[in-house]
Amino acid sequence: MDSKVERFLSQKEENEIVEAIRVAENETSGEIRIHIEKSSSIDVYERAMEVFHMLKMDNTKLQNGVLIYVAVEDKTFVIYGDKGINDVVANDFWDTTKDVIQSHFKQGQFKEGLVQGVLRAGKELQANFPWDASDINELPNEISNG
């Protein structure tokens, strides 16, 4: 793994984010993933779509996966939601979630920004895709790195 990506979050911070993902997914059938890499050689939104596909996030039954993609050196990130969630959230939901993450990132609080983004996405997923007894965790909660 690249040292720049390693320095972005400590192991303790990664563990706290994974726990936030677990908590956020506890009440929903939705899936949340975070992918962190050094840099994107293509448009960051295009890269987020590639990663979404690479992580098989487009295979969820209800099309309710959410990816937070971070390109560390480019100092940018994208929140990418699948069709199922995009169809039901308010028009400004992703922008307001991005603003919450960005305000923490600007202060160097990367872990807190990601945790807040995850919990916010989780609340929206819970409202629109409530958990039921037949739900399984379709995707791993670990942070992936590029």
Side-chain angles (χ1 to χ4, degrees), residues 69-85:
Y69 167 84
V70 182
V72 177
E73 277 187 0
D74 303 338
K75 293 185 168 55
T76 190
F77 69 96
V78 170
I79 308 168
Y80 186 82
D82 207 349
K83 183 180 183 333
I85 185 157

Side-chain angles (χ1 to χ4, degrees), residues 5-21:
V5 173
E6 279 175 6
R7 280 197 310 268
F8 184 67
L9 295 170
S10 69
Q11 188 58 55
K12 181 178 183 290
E13 289 173 324
E14 275 203 26
N15 293 343
E16 289 176 44
I17 293 167
V18 170
E19 177 61 15
I21 292 171

Side-chain angles (χ1 to χ4, degrees), residues 77 79 92-107 113 116-117 120:
F77 69 96
I79 308 168
D92 67 341
F93 176 73
W94 298 120
D95 288 335
T96 55
T97 303
K98 187 177 181 197
D99 293 345
V100 167
I101 296 172
Q102 206 160 26
S103 68
H104 287 286
F105 276 21
K106 281 182 178 167
Q107 298 169 44
Q116 292 306 317
R120 205 174 147 85

